Amino acid sequence: MNSDLDDRSQQKRRPARPRGWLRALIVVPLAILFVAAGLGFIAFLSQLRGAETAPARNADGIVVLTGGSSRISDAVELLAAGYGKRLLISGVHPTNAASDISRSLPENNQALLRCCVDLDRSAVNTRSNAAETRRWARERGFKSLIVVTSNYHMPRAILELSHAMPDVELIPFVVIGDKWRDEPWWMSGGTLRLLLSEYVKYVAAEVRVRLAQAGLDLRPEFLEPPGAQAPRRPATAQVN
């Protein structure tokens, strides 16, 4: 009688073993992925500068990627200081006129919009920013560029620009937003969400660029399709 009970109890316990192995096969890779993502996020944060510093040297041109506060004004100040010959503002909204940009600048810098600033209204993301910047730099014959964007966006911007223009020297100039100055990023839910979102985008861009370098470019956005029209040149800013 006792042996029958033992056999029955063993039969009941046997199905639990495969479930434990299956659980381990799921949990262990997820734990490894979680740890790797955490370490990657720390490495990403280590690239972010906490203060604005002047460019190490002058460059042929300056490009500012729109999307953050004070990026354009800082880029125009660099142009006024002689750090570059011309400025490209990439990612200007199609409905925004040069006069809208002019109103946000000091009067002593507004004249630069008429002589030395080009507007790119076709770029809609960082990758197309890089494509339009490459066209602009090639048309101008520029071999070095100062890149102006927010500190959290700079790693991805440099990644995309260097992939698009491996023969052009890129000099970063990070813009520090007011929220970044006012409180630590880990104390602000909005800033933390922004950083996590940017980190995911950076990892995706890194994977795509590495695949492209290996000959597996699934989205060859930089290549012009056969029969395509010549790209429209960025418009020189005219204050209305």
Side-chain angles (χ1 to χ4, degrees):
M1 185 70 176
N2 292 334
S3 62
D4 292 341
L5 293 174
D6 292 341
D7 291 342
R8 291 174 184 174
S9 62
Q10 289 177 4
Q11 290 175 358
K12 291 180 180 179
R13 287 195 297 268
R14 283 172 187 169
R17 292 178 182 176
R19 294 176 186 172
W21 281 105
L22 181 60
R23 188 180 300 112
L25 288 174
I26 296 174
V27 171
V28 171
L30 288 177
I32 294 174
L33 182 62
F34 180 79
V35 172
L39 294 175
F41 184 59
I42 293 173
F44 171 76
L45 292 175
S46 68
Q47 300 181 58
L48 308 187
R49 299 182 184 179
E52 295 181 2
T53 57
R57 67 178 190 82
N58 294 358
D60 293 335
I62 304 170
V63 57
V64 55
L65 311 185
T66 60
S69 60
S70 76
R71 292 184 190 180
I72 294 177
S73 59
D74 284 2
V76 173
E77 288 179 5
L78 291 175
L79 180 65
Y83 280 99
K85 303 172 186 176
R86 292 192 70 83
L87 167 65
L88 172 67
I89 304 177
S90 181
V92 178
H93 194 276
T95 61
N96 286 355
S99 57
D100 298 324
I101 299 174
S102 176
R103 282 192 291 267
S104 66
L105 301 176
E107 291 186 6
N108 58 331
N109 287 341
Q110 291 181 4
L112 290 172
L113 286 175
R114 292 187 291 269
C115 74
C116 309
V117 177
D118 300 313
L119 305 182
D120 160 40
R121 292 188 171 90
S122 59
V124 295
N125 53 36
T126 306
R127 194 180 184 194
S128 54
N129 283 142
E132 293 304 318
T133 301
R134 183 178 71 169
R135 294 189 183 107
W136 179 77
R138 285 185 174 178
E139 290 175 354
R140 301 288 179 182
F142 291 164
K143 294 299 182 182
S144 60
L145 295 174
I146 293 175
V147 181
V148 181
T149 190
S150 299
N151 60 340
Y152 62 85
H153 184 234
M154 186 63 75
R156 185 158 60 101
I158 293 296
L159 175 67
E160 296 284 12
L161 288 165
S162 60
H163 177 55
M165 303 177 292
D167 56 335
V168 175
E169 180 185 3
L170 303 175
I171 305 169
F173 178 84
V174 298
V175 177
I176 310 299
D178 293 336
K179 291 183 178 180
W180 192 275
R181 291 192 181 97
D182 293 342
E183 60 179 337
W185 61 265
W186 59 86
M187 298 293 292
S188 171
T191 304
L192 178 58
R193 287 191 296 271
L194 175 64
L195 289 174
L196 289 172
S197 174
E198 184 60 34
Y199 171 62
V200 171
K201 294 176 183 178
Y202 173 75
V203 171
E206 180 77 30
V207 171
R208 178 179 49 76
V209 166
R210 289 186 179 274
L211 288 175
Q213 291 173 344
L216 298 174
D217 195 351
L218 302 180
R219 296 176 57 195
E221 192 169 309
F222 296 129
L223 300 180
E224 296 294 334
Q229 296 180 351
R232 182 173 56 85
R233 295 185 61 178
T236 300
Q238 296 293 333
V239 180
N240 297 329

